[in-house]
Amino acid sequence: MRVMVLVKATEDSEKGLFDTAWQAEMMAAMGRFNDELRDAGILRAADGLRPSSHGKRVAFDGNARTVIDGPFAPARDLVAGFWLWEVKDIDEAVAWVKRCPNPMPGPSEIEIRPLYEMTDFG
């Protein structure tokens, strides 16, 4: 089963403001965690996203397209980073997320979403 693991944004991550010492420590811890994922053979992709102030949205309404400049709100509804994993089931993904270092200096959330597979469509 493939899952996308989403690191939810926070007000601080959207501002791009992190204490340098904390950031260095977190990046090292996250690097070790990613190495464990890679060694276990489940990591397919991983990356962090710049704050939404660097992004764009395209709104669709019939044939019309409207480009909306970031930043977007609320921060808790945004994504700051992601992994793509291949796991045996959602429980394995949950177990791995529980081992993850906290990706933010304060409270944070990580969301796990299964991807559709061709077998889901008959």
Side-chain angles (χ1 to χ4, degrees), residues 3-97:
V3 295
M4 180 158 279
V5 181
L6 305 165
V7 176
K8 303 300 292 238
T10 64
E11 294 293 332
D12 286 341
S13 70
E14 274 297 288
K15 293 175 189 166
L17 302 175
F18 293 112
D19 174 70
T20 304
W22 175 86
Q23 191 169 12
E25 183 180 320
M26 188 274 300
M27 293 300 285
M30 201 60 76
R32 290 188 298 274
F33 181 67
N34 285 337
D35 288 343
E36 290 178 34
L37 292 168
R38 197 172 296 105
D39 292 346
I42 68 171
L43 182 63
R44 298 295 175 262
D47 232 321
L49 302 174
R50 290 183 184 207
S52 69
S53 58
H54 296 260
K56 307 260 187 205
R57 285 185 177 165
V58 178
F60 292 73
D61 186 4
N63 291 329
R65 306 294 185 264
T66 304
V67 177
I68 304 161
D69 294 330
F72 310 118
R76 71 180 181 280
D77 292 339
L78 302 174
V79 175
F82 70 92
W83 289 276
L84 183 60
W85 295 347
E86 180 95 27
V87 292
K88 66 179 179 187
D89 56 31
I90 195 81
D91 293 331
E92 182 182 18
V94 168
W96 276 101
V97 169

